[in-house]
Amino acid sequence: MVRPDFPFETDRLLLRPFTLEDVDDVLAWEERADVHRFLYSQPRSRDEVRKELARRAAMTGIDHQSQAIRLAVLLRDGGALVGDVSVQRTSMEHQQGEIGFLFHPAHHGRGYATEAGEMVLRLGFEGARLHRIVGRCDARNEASARVMERLGLRREAHLIENECIKGEWTDELIYAMLATEWFARAGRMAQEDR
Ligand SMILES: CC(C)(COP(=O)(O)OP(=O)(O)OC[C@H]1O[C@@H](n2cnc3c(N)ncnc32)[C@H](O)[C@@H]1OP(=O)(O)O)[C@@H](O)C(=O)NCCC(=O)NCCS
């Protein structure tokens, strides 16, 4: 169980829960069709973003009250709100979780999703003590698959036309990491840093 003290800082980013004041920044990516291209969701209006933010603002822990931590990602340099990362518990019995990430296209290609993704993996494994965390994406979503590979998740499955999304049969990739793999990787990285 984990209900952390926010914010968190990485080298370049600050992660904190969403608030209703984030509506303009979040609308800037939520209203764009390209952002939702490979997602189940559709572009959202300002009202829809406001409702979403009320839901997301409550996602601040993995415990008896909440099953997810969903965080706004800001640049430490300048404070711009550039993305959204999450880790949710999908099964308490089996200690399974799932990560997600989404960034404004103006901030792609700089490694921010990978940097924020490391933080939510840490929260999932070291805070919530999850046993296994997955990441899933449309097989055409190469940028997302690359983030999961950079994070060290293993590709476990390529499901063929398992879903019909936005009127198209689509393939899905399933990536996963076990807690043992996370701690082995974290140990390796600590040694490399020495
Ligand atoms: C998925 C998504 C977050 C990936 O964004 P991204 O910018 O490719 O990923 P990162 O922020 O980790 O950036 C990595 C890229 O930045 C480059 N980069 C530049 N500077 C870097 C730095 N200092 N550190 C690390 N990478 C850096 C990397 O080489 C990499 O490029 P490559 O993928 O061409 O090899 C983005 O495409 C997105 O928001 N898509 C819409 C929502 C979505 O589909 N979400 C996934 C749902 S499953």
Side-chain angles (χ1 to χ4, degrees):
M1 301 217 287
V2 59
R3 186 158 287 272
D5 287 331
F6 300 105
F8 293 118
E9 285 187 357
T10 65
D11 285 348
R12 298 176 294 170
L13 307 172
L14 184 140
L15 282 69
R16 57 134 173 96
F18 283 100
T19 74
L20 295 181
E21 278 84 71
D22 295 327
V23 64
D24 290 329
D25 294 320
V26 174
L27 181 65
W29 69 71
E30 287 285 349
E31 66 184 1
R32 294 175 62 128
D34 56 350
V35 166
H36 296 268
R37 168 84 178 93
F38 298 125
L39 308 181
Y40 299 121
S41 49
Q42 301 282 357
R44 292 188 166 98
S45 67
R46 170 176 284 270
D47 267 0
E48 288 167 335
V49 169
R50 221 180 262 122
K51 283 190 196 122
E52 263 297 301
L53 280 179
R55 207 173 65 83
R56 291 179 198 176
M59 297 178 173
T60 55
I62 295 181
D63 55 15
H64 49 281
Q65 285 172 12
S66 159
Q67 297 299 320
I69 297 175
R70 188 151 181 172
L71 301 173
V73 182
L74 290 80
L75 301 186
R76 285 175 61 183
D77 183 4
L81 203 177
V82 297
D84 171 341
V85 282
S86 61
V87 55
Q88 62 168 316
R89 182 167 59 190
T90 52
S91 163
M92 190 172 336
E93 183 185 4
H94 303 293
Q95 297 169 45
Q96 302 289 303
E98 179 169 346
I99 53 168
F101 33 78
L102 187 161
F103 279 72
H104 190 293
H107 299 278
H108 290 179
R110 295 175 201 180
Y112 295 150
T114 306
E115 196 167 316
E118 286 272 350
M119 181 55 83
V120 286
L121 281 177
R122 174 167 296 119
L123 283 171
F125 286 125
E126 299 180 22
R129 311 302 291 181
L130 294 171
H131 177 73
R132 175 173 171 270
I133 295 180
V134 303
R136 300 183 297 130
C137 67
D138 186 311
R140 297 167 299 177
N141 195 346
E142 291 172 15
S144 177
R146 283 200 298 274
V147 171
M148 293 194 255
E149 280 164 14
R150 270 194 300 274
L151 286 170
L153 278 72
R154 282 173 289 99
R155 187 186 286 202
E156 286 193 340
H158 181 151
L159 307 177
I160 310 291
E161 295 193 10
N162 64 314
E163 293 178 318
C164 185
I165 300 171
K166 298 172 183 165
E168 286 181 286
W169 286 108
T170 56
D171 292 8
E172 183 179 24
L173 301 178
I174 315 270
Y175 283 86
M177 183 184 272
L178 296 172
T180 47
E181 294 169 321
W182 168 261
F183 287 108
R185 183 180 155 93
R188 269 200 313 277
M189 280 161 53
Q191 274 187 345
E192 281 164 17
D193 281 350
R194 266 190 228 143

